[in-house]
Amino acid sequence: CSTSSSLSQNSPNGWKDCVLPKLYPIAPLVDALDECMSDSTVAYLTYEHRYYPKYDPKDHFIHLATEKNLIVRQVPTGKQHPIYSVDDIEVWEVRRNVS
């Protein structure tokens, strides 16, 4: 699997990255996830709430992911480590829709 420079493999079970439209375009990230994910792969991404005038980055990412048959689920704060959980950053779990 080839990946974009913004991705780094951290474990055999998933990928981690941060979605920031001003620094990294969202579409190539979604394309890389689609290319690299099998039916059993789980990817974890973080999203920091920031205003972006051209579109809502969260909605745009979910729309592009859905087009690639990927499901995006927000990890509830209660399931995150309390030291690393903050109000303005979401953790997303991304899986392939296999149903």
Side-chain angles (χ1 to χ4, degrees):
C1 170
S2 63
T3 62
S4 69
S5 61
S6 63
L7 287 174
S8 61
Q9 187 173 9
N10 292 318
S11 76
N13 297 324
W15 297 86
K16 295 182 182 180
D17 199 356
C18 188
V19 177
L20 297 168
K22 288 184 180 181
L23 299 176
Y24 305 109
I26 294 174
L29 173 60
V30 174
D31 290 342
L33 287 167
D34 180 49
E35 182 181 331
C36 295
M37 293 182 71
S38 70
D39 288 349
S40 61
T41 303
V42 179
Y44 291 96
L45 292 88
T46 59
Y47 171 69
E48 182 175 0
H49 299 280
R50 292 186 183 181
Y51 173 74
Y52 189 63
K54 296 181 181 182
Y55 53 82
D56 181 302
K58 178 179 179 176
D59 291 343
H60 187 60
F61 179 87
I62 291 171
H63 172 76
L64 293 174
T66 301
E67 287 182 342
K68 300 287 187 178
N69 202 33
L70 300 172
I71 298 172
V72 181
R73 182 183 74 84
Q74 184 176 339
V75 178
T77 305
K79 296 204 175 216
Q80 300 174 28
H81 192 288
I83 292 176
Y84 302 109
S85 178
V86 293
D87 292 338
D88 65 338
I89 297 178
E90 295 178 5
V91 178
W92 298 342
E93 179 183 275
V94 181
R95 296 176 181 261
R96 185 150 316 273
N97 186 359
V98 293
S99 59

Short mmCIF file of all heavy atoms in Angstrom, two decimals, residues 56-92:
data_model
loop_
_atom_site.label_atom_id
_atom_site.label_comp_id
_atom_site.label_asym_id
_atom_site.label_seq_id
_atom_site.Cartn_x
_atom_site.Cartn_y
_atom_site.Cartn_z
N ASP A 56 -17.45 22.95 5.50
CA ASP A 56 -17.29 22.34 6.82
C ASP A 56 -16.41 21.11 6.65
O ASP A 56 -16.83 20.14 6.00
CB ASP A 56 -18.65 21.96 7.39
CG ASP A 56 -18.55 21.34 8.77
OD1 ASP A 56 -17.85 20.32 8.92
OD2 ASP A 56 -19.18 21.87 9.69
N PRO A 57 -15.18 21.13 7.17
CA PRO A 57 -14.26 20.01 6.94
C PRO A 57 -14.80 18.66 7.41
O PRO A 57 -14.59 17.64 6.76
CB PRO A 57 -13.01 20.40 7.73
CG PRO A 57 -13.08 21.88 7.85
CD PRO A 57 -14.54 22.20 7.93
N LYS A 58 -15.49 18.65 8.53
CA LYS A 58 -16.04 17.38 9.04
C LYS A 58 -17.07 16.81 8.07
O LYS A 58 -16.99 15.65 7.68
CB LYS A 58 -16.68 17.61 10.41
CG LYS A 58 -17.32 16.37 10.99
CD LYS A 58 -17.92 16.66 12.36
CE LYS A 58 -18.58 15.43 12.95
NZ LYS A 58 -19.08 15.68 14.31
N ASP A 59 -18.02 17.64 7.65
CA ASP A 59 -19.04 17.17 6.70
C ASP A 59 -18.42 16.74 5.38
O ASP A 59 -18.82 15.74 4.78
CB ASP A 59 -20.08 18.27 6.44
CG ASP A 59 -20.95 18.55 7.65
OD1 ASP A 59 -21.00 17.72 8.58
OD2 ASP A 59 -21.59 19.62 7.66
N HIS A 60 -17.42 17.49 4.93
CA HIS A 60 -16.75 17.16 3.66
C HIS A 60 -16.03 15.82 3.76
O HIS A 60 -16.12 14.98 2.86
CB HIS A 60 -15.78 18.29 3.30
CG HIS A 60 -15.15 18.15 1.95
ND1 HIS A 60 -15.87 18.11 0.79
CD2 HIS A 60 -13.84 18.04 1.59
CE1 HIS A 60 -15.04 17.98 -0.24
NE2 HIS A 60 -13.80 17.93 0.23
N PHE A 61 -15.31 15.60 4.87
CA PHE A 61 -14.61 14.33 5.06
C PHE A 61 -15.60 13.17 5.08
O PHE A 61 -15.40 12.15 4.41
CB PHE A 61 -13.80 14.34 6.36
CG PHE A 61 -13.07 13.05 6.61
CD1 PHE A 61 -11.80 12.85 6.09
CD2 PHE A 61 -13.65 12.03 7.33
CE1 PHE A 61 -11.13 11.65 6.29
CE2 PHE A 61 -12.99 10.83 7.54
CZ PHE A 61 -11.72 10.65 7.03
N ILE A 62 -16.68 13.31 5.83
CA ILE A 62 -17.67 12.23 5.93
C ILE A 62 -18.31 11.97 4.57
O ILE A 62 -18.51 10.81 4.18
CB ILE A 62 -18.73 12.57 7.00
CG1 ILE A 62 -18.06 12.52 8.39
CG2 ILE A 62 -19.91 11.61 6.94
CD1 ILE A 62 -18.92 13.04 9.52
N HIS A 63 -18.60 13.03 3.82
CA HIS A 63 -19.17 12.86 2.48
C HIS A 63 -18.22 12.08 1.57
O HIS A 63 -18.63 11.12 0.90
CB HIS A 63 -19.48 14.23 1.87
CG HIS A 63 -19.90 14.18 0.45
ND1 HIS A 63 -21.16 13.78 0.05
CD2 HIS A 63 -19.21 14.44 -0.68
CE1 HIS A 63 -21.23 13.81 -1.26
NE2 HIS A 63 -20.06 14.21 -1.74
N LEU A 64 -16.94 12.48 1.54
CA LEU A 64 -15.97 11.79 0.70
C LEU A 64 -15.76 10.35 1.15
O LEU A 64 -15.64 9.44 0.32
CB LEU A 64 -14.63 12.55 0.71
CG LEU A 64 -14.63 13.92 0.06
CD1 LEU A 64 -13.29 14.62 0.29
CD2 LEU A 64 -14.95 13.83 -1.43
N ALA A 65 -15.72 10.13 2.45
CA ALA A 65 -15.53 8.77 2.97
C ALA A 65 -16.72 7.89 2.60
O ALA A 65 -16.54 6.73 2.19
CB ALA A 65 -15.36 8.81 4.49
N THR A 66 -17.92 8.42 2.70
CA THR A 66 -19.12 7.66 2.35
C THR A 66 -19.09 7.25 0.87
O THR A 66 -19.48 6.14 0.52
CB THR A 66 -20.38 8.48 2.66
OG1 THR A 66 -20.39 8.79 4.06
CG2 THR A 66 -21.65 7.72 2.31
N GLU A 67 -18.60 8.15 0.01
CA GLU A 67 -18.48 7.82 -1.41
C GLU A 67 -17.52 6.65 -1.64
O GLU A 67 -17.62 5.95 -2.65
CB GLU A 67 -18.00 9.04 -2.19
CG GLU A 67 -19.04 10.11 -2.37
CD GLU A 67 -18.54 11.28 -3.19
OE1 GLU A 67 -17.31 11.44 -3.35
OE2 GLU A 67 -19.39 12.04 -3.67
N LYS A 68 -16.57 6.44 -0.73
CA LYS A 68 -15.59 5.35 -0.84
C LYS A 68 -16.03 4.12 -0.04
O LYS A 68 -15.25 3.21 0.19
CB LYS A 68 -14.21 5.80 -0.33
CG LYS A 68 -13.63 6.97 -1.10
CD LYS A 68 -13.17 6.56 -2.46
CE LYS A 68 -12.42 7.70 -3.14
NZ LYS A 68 -11.93 7.32 -4.45
N ASN A 69 -17.29 4.12 0.41
CA ASN A 69 -17.84 3.00 1.18
C ASN A 69 -17.15 2.87 2.54
O ASN A 69 -16.92 1.76 3.03
CB ASN A 69 -17.76 1.70 0.38
CG ASN A 69 -18.75 0.67 0.88
OD1 ASN A 69 -19.84 1.03 1.34
ND2 ASN A 69 -18.38 -0.59 0.82
N LEU A 70 -16.80 4.00 3.14
CA LEU A 70 -16.21 4.03 4.47
C LEU A 70 -17.21 4.63 5.45
O LEU A 70 -17.95 5.55 5.10
CB LEU A 70 -14.92 4.85 4.47
CG LEU A 70 -13.81 4.37 3.54
CD1 LEU A 70 -12.68 5.39 3.50
CD2 LEU A 70 -13.30 3.02 3.97
N ILE A 71 -17.22 4.11 6.65
CA ILE A 71 -18.10 4.60 7.71
C ILE A 71 -17.25 5.37 8.72
O ILE A 71 -16.21 4.86 9.17
CB ILE A 71 -18.81 3.43 8.41
CG1 ILE A 71 -19.70 2.68 7.43
CG2 ILE A 71 -19.62 3.92 9.60
CD1 ILE A 71 -20.28 1.40 7.99
N VAL A 72 -17.69 6.56 9.08
CA VAL A 72 -16.99 7.39 10.06
C VAL A 72 -17.86 7.46 11.31
O VAL A 72 -19.03 7.83 11.25
CB VAL A 72 -16.75 8.82 9.52
CG1 VAL A 72 -16.01 9.66 10.54
CG2 VAL A 72 -15.98 8.77 8.20
N ARG A 73 -17.27 7.08 12.43
CA ARG A 73 -17.98 7.11 13.71
C ARG A 73 -17.14 7.90 14.70
O ARG A 73 -15.93 7.68 14.81
CB ARG A 73 -18.17 5.68 14.22
CG ARG A 73 -18.94 5.58 15.53
CD ARG A 73 -19.03 4.15 16.01
NE ARG A 73 -17.78 3.65 16.55
CZ ARG A 73 -17.37 3.85 17.82
NH1 ARG A 73 -18.09 4.55 18.65
NH2 ARG A 73 -16.23 3.35 18.23
N GLN A 74 -17.78 8.81 15.42
CA GLN A 74 -17.06 9.56 16.45
C GLN A 74 -16.93 8.69 17.69
O GLN A 74 -17.90 8.11 18.16
CB GLN A 74 -17.80 10.84 16.79
CG GLN A 74 -17.05 11.70 17.79
CD GLN A 74 -17.73 13.02 18.06
OE1 GLN A 74 -18.55 13.49 17.25
NE2 GLN A 74 -17.40 13.65 19.16
N VAL A 75 -15.71 8.58 18.21
CA VAL A 75 -15.46 7.83 19.44
C VAL A 75 -15.95 8.69 20.61
O VAL A 75 -15.49 9.82 20.77
CB VAL A 75 -13.97 7.48 19.60
CG1 VAL A 75 -13.73 6.75 20.90
CG2 VAL A 75 -13.48 6.66 18.40
N PRO A 76 -16.89 8.18 21.41
CA PRO A 76 -17.39 8.98 22.53
C PRO A 76 -16.28 9.36 23.50
O PRO A 76 -15.34 8.58 23.74
CB PRO A 76 -18.40 8.05 23.21
CG PRO A 76 -18.73 7.02 22.19
CD PRO A 76 -17.52 6.87 21.31
N THR A 77 -16.40 10.55 24.06
CA THR A 77 -15.39 11.05 25.00
C THR A 77 -15.19 10.06 26.15
O THR A 77 -14.07 9.86 26.61
CB THR A 77 -15.81 12.43 25.55
OG1 THR A 77 -16.04 13.29 24.43
CG2 THR A 77 -14.74 13.03 26.43
N GLY A 78 -16.25 9.44 26.61
CA GLY A 78 -16.16 8.50 27.72
C GLY A 78 -15.34 7.26 27.42
O GLY A 78 -14.89 6.57 28.33
N LYS A 79 -15.10 6.98 26.14
CA LYS A 79 -14.28 5.82 25.76
C LYS A 79 -12.83 6.21 25.49
O LYS A 79 -12.03 5.38 25.12
CB LYS A 79 -14.88 5.13 24.54
CG LYS A 79 -16.24 4.55 24.83
CD LYS A 79 -16.54 3.43 23.88
CE LYS A 79 -17.86 2.83 24.32
NZ LYS A 79 -17.91 1.42 24.14
N GLN A 80 -12.51 7.50 25.65
CA GLN A 80 -11.14 7.98 25.43
C GLN A 80 -10.43 8.12 26.77
O GLN A 80 -11.07 8.27 27.81
CB GLN A 80 -11.18 9.33 24.72
CG GLN A 80 -11.85 9.30 23.38
CD GLN A 80 -11.99 10.69 22.79
OE1 GLN A 80 -11.20 11.58 23.06
NE2 GLN A 80 -13.01 10.88 21.97
N HIS A 81 -9.12 8.08 26.73
CA HIS A 81 -8.34 8.28 27.95
C HIS A 81 -8.58 9.71 28.44
O HIS A 81 -8.47 10.66 27.65
CB HIS A 81 -6.85 8.07 27.66
CG HIS A 81 -6.02 7.98 28.90
ND1 HIS A 81 -5.74 9.08 29.67
CD2 HIS A 81 -5.43 6.92 29.49
CE1 HIS A 81 -5.00 8.72 30.70
NE2 HIS A 81 -4.80 7.41 30.61
N PRO A 82 -8.92 9.90 29.71
CA PRO A 82 -9.27 11.24 30.19
C PRO A 82 -8.16 12.28 30.07
O PRO A 82 -8.44 13.47 29.89
CB PRO A 82 -9.65 11.02 31.66
CG PRO A 82 -9.15 9.67 32.01
CD PRO A 82 -9.02 8.89 30.74
N ILE A 83 -6.93 11.87 30.13
CA ILE A 83 -5.81 12.82 30.01
C ILE A 83 -5.70 13.36 28.58
O ILE A 83 -5.34 14.51 28.37
CB ILE A 83 -4.48 12.16 30.44
CG1 ILE A 83 -4.51 11.89 31.94
CG2 ILE A 83 -3.29 13.05 30.08
CD1 ILE A 83 -3.29 11.15 32.46
N TYR A 84 -6.03 12.53 27.59
CA TYR A 84 -5.84 12.91 26.20
C TYR A 84 -7.12 13.36 25.51
O TYR A 84 -7.11 13.66 24.34
CB TYR A 84 -5.21 11.75 25.43
CG TYR A 84 -3.90 11.34 26.02
CD1 TYR A 84 -3.77 10.13 26.70
CD2 TYR A 84 -2.78 12.16 25.93
CE1 TYR A 84 -2.56 9.75 27.26
CE2 TYR A 84 -1.58 11.79 26.49
CZ TYR A 84 -1.48 10.58 27.16
OH TYR A 84 -0.29 10.23 27.71
N SER A 85 -8.21 13.40 26.20
CA SER A 85 -9.49 13.80 25.63
C SER A 85 -9.73 15.28 25.89
O SER A 85 -9.63 15.73 27.04
CB SER A 85 -10.61 12.95 26.26
OG SER A 85 -11.85 13.35 25.75
N VAL A 86 -10.05 16.04 24.84
CA VAL A 86 -10.33 17.46 24.98
C VAL A 86 -11.60 17.80 24.21
O VAL A 86 -11.98 17.11 23.27
CB VAL A 86 -9.14 18.34 24.50
CG1 VAL A 86 -7.94 18.18 25.39
CG2 VAL A 86 -8.77 18.03 23.07
N ASP A 87 -12.24 18.90 24.60
CA ASP A 87 -13.53 19.25 24.02
C ASP A 87 -13.49 19.62 22.55
O ASP A 87 -14.45 19.38 21.83
CB ASP A 87 -14.16 20.40 24.81
CG ASP A 87 -14.57 20.01 26.21
OD1 ASP A 87 -14.77 18.80 26.46
OD2 ASP A 87 -14.68 20.91 27.06
N ASP A 88 -12.41 20.23 22.08
CA ASP A 88 -12.39 20.73 20.71
C ASP A 88 -11.75 19.78 19.71
O ASP A 88 -11.56 20.12 18.55
CB ASP A 88 -11.72 22.10 20.64
CG ASP A 88 -10.25 22.07 21.01
OD1 ASP A 88 -9.84 21.13 21.71
OD2 ASP A 88 -9.52 22.99 20.60
N ILE A 89 -11.42 18.56 20.13
CA ILE A 89 -10.85 17.56 19.22
C ILE A 89 -11.67 16.29 19.29
O ILE A 89 -11.90 15.74 20.36
CB ILE A 89 -9.38 17.27 19.55
CG1 ILE A 89 -8.54 18.53 19.37
CG2 ILE A 89 -8.85 16.12 18.68
CD1 ILE A 89 -7.08 18.37 19.70
N GLU A 90 -12.13 15.85 18.13
CA GLU A 90 -12.87 14.59 18.03
C GLU A 90 -11.93 13.48 17.59
O GLU A 90 -11.01 13.71 16.80
CB GLU A 90 -14.01 14.71 17.01
CG GLU A 90 -15.07 15.69 17.38
CD GLU A 90 -16.15 15.80 16.32
OE1 GLU A 90 -16.14 15.05 15.32
OE2 GLU A 90 -17.04 16.66 16.50
N VAL A 91 -12.19 12.29 18.05
CA VAL A 91 -11.51 11.10 17.57
C VAL A 91 -12.52 10.35 16.72
O VAL A 91 -13.64 10.07 17.16
CB VAL A 91 -11.00 10.21 18.72
CG1 VAL A 91 -10.33 8.96 18.17
CG2 VAL A 91 -10.03 10.99 19.60
N TRP A 92 -12.12 10.03 15.49
CA TRP A 92 -12.99 9.32 14.57
C TRP A 92 -12.47 7.91 14.34
O TRP A 92 -11.26 7.70 14.19
CB TRP A 92 -13.06 10.00 13.22
CG TRP A 92 -13.62 11.38 13.22
CD1 TRP A 92 -14.38 11.98 14.19
CD2 TRP A 92 -13.47 12.35 12.18
NE1 TRP A 92 -14.71 13.25 13.81
CE2 TRP A 92 -14.16 13.50 12.58
CE3 TRP A 92 -12.83 12.34 10.95
CZ2 TRP A 92 -14.24 14.64 11.79
CZ3 TRP A 92 -12.89 13.48 10.17
CH2 TRP A 92 -13.60 14.62 10.59
#
